[in-house]
Amino acid sequence: FSHAKNQRSGTAKTIGSTLFPHRHRLRTHHMNPMMMSLGFFIFSLPTLAYQELQRQTKWRFAETGVVGVRPRQQFIGLGSDDITLRGELRLEVAGKSISLDYLRSMGDTGKAWPLVDGLGKVYGLFIIDSLNETKSVFLANGLAKKIDFDLSLKRVDDDRVDLLSDIIFDYVNSV
């Protein structure tokens, strides 16, 4: 916490102790770092944590047949860029099943969302292609204690990060 000069009296005081007099009670261990965000959804232990991230990037080639030799390949552009997040949600340990419902409602919009990892790397704009969940280990009331999920994302932006402002503007106006 920094020190600031009181503008009226000219005396210095600690901002942290003024705003947070019991800051010694604050602990950072309760704060869970973000693993990744998709739009405004944060992947983390309290919401939904994935255990595996698989990315498949493709490029497109046109093939021309040539007699007596291998076909010729001509690069014609970028192909698909897909990311799959796989994880296991255990309600007694971490995560909330409502997180899957929230992701499903994001997919229902058909919109593209920015995908950013916990270190700030922007992967691009992605649509939710599919969400699969498998429930198991049931309680007597039918509540699943274990939910496995696969979230499939497809990139749609072609490095157009300028579209991010449109997404944020649309979201703010819809709230």
Side-chain angles (χ1 to χ4, degrees):
F1 292 97
S2 63
H3 295 280
K5 218 175 197 184
N6 186 327
Q7 293 190 2
R8 288 187 186 175
S9 66
T11 60
K13 66 179 183 176
T14 303
I15 292 174
S17 63
T18 302
L19 297 177
F20 304 104
H22 305 289
R23 75 171 188 259
H24 62 279
R25 294 184 193 168
L26 297 175
R27 302 284 186 259
T28 57
H29 71 273
H30 74 281
M31 295 182 190
N32 293 293
M34 174 184 88
M35 298 171 69
M36 186 169 280
S37 68
L38 178 64
F40 296 99
F41 181 82
I42 305 296
F43 290 92
S44 65
L45 285 177
T47 58
L48 191 64
Y50 55 89
Q51 285 76 40
E52 182 179 317
L53 184 153
Q54 179 183 15
R55 184 175 188 182
Q56 182 181 39
T57 305
K58 294 182 180 181
W59 296 267
R60 296 179 300 135
F61 292 86
E63 186 174 289
T64 304
V66 179
V67 177
V69 295
R70 288 190 180 102
R72 301 292 181 228
Q73 304 291 328
Q74 180 181 1
F75 179 72
I76 59 172
L78 300 173
S80 61
D81 192 1
D82 303 333
I83 291 181
T84 301
L85 301 174
R86 288 188 180 90
E88 179 181 297
L89 177 63
R90 292 216 174 234
L91 299 178
E92 71 275 7
V93 177
K96 295 179 172 75
S97 61
I98 195 164
S99 295
L100 294 170
D101 295 332
Y102 185 80
L103 287 169
R104 193 169 277 110
S105 68
M106 287 173 65
D108 288 346
T109 67
K111 292 184 178 184
W113 305 95
L115 185 67
V116 182
D117 71 14
L119 298 175
K121 177 182 177 185
V122 178
Y123 286 80
L125 296 176
F126 285 78
I127 58 167
I128 297 176
D129 185 48
S130 67
L131 174 61
N132 301 314
E133 64 182 83
T134 304
K135 295 181 178 185
S136 60
V137 189
F138 293 94
L139 298 174
N141 65 1
L143 180 68
K145 290 175 61 176
K146 178 183 172 190
I147 304 172
D148 293 309
F149 67 90
D150 292 337
L151 178 66
S152 297
L153 308 171
K154 289 192 176 293
R155 188 168 179 187
V156 295
D157 63 85
D158 293 329
D159 292 325
R160 300 256 338 262
V161 292
D162 58 314
L163 296 174
L164 291 176
S165 62
D166 292 340
I167 290 172
I168 293 168
F169 181 76
D170 289 346
Y171 176 79
V172 169
N173 285 332
S174 70
V175 176

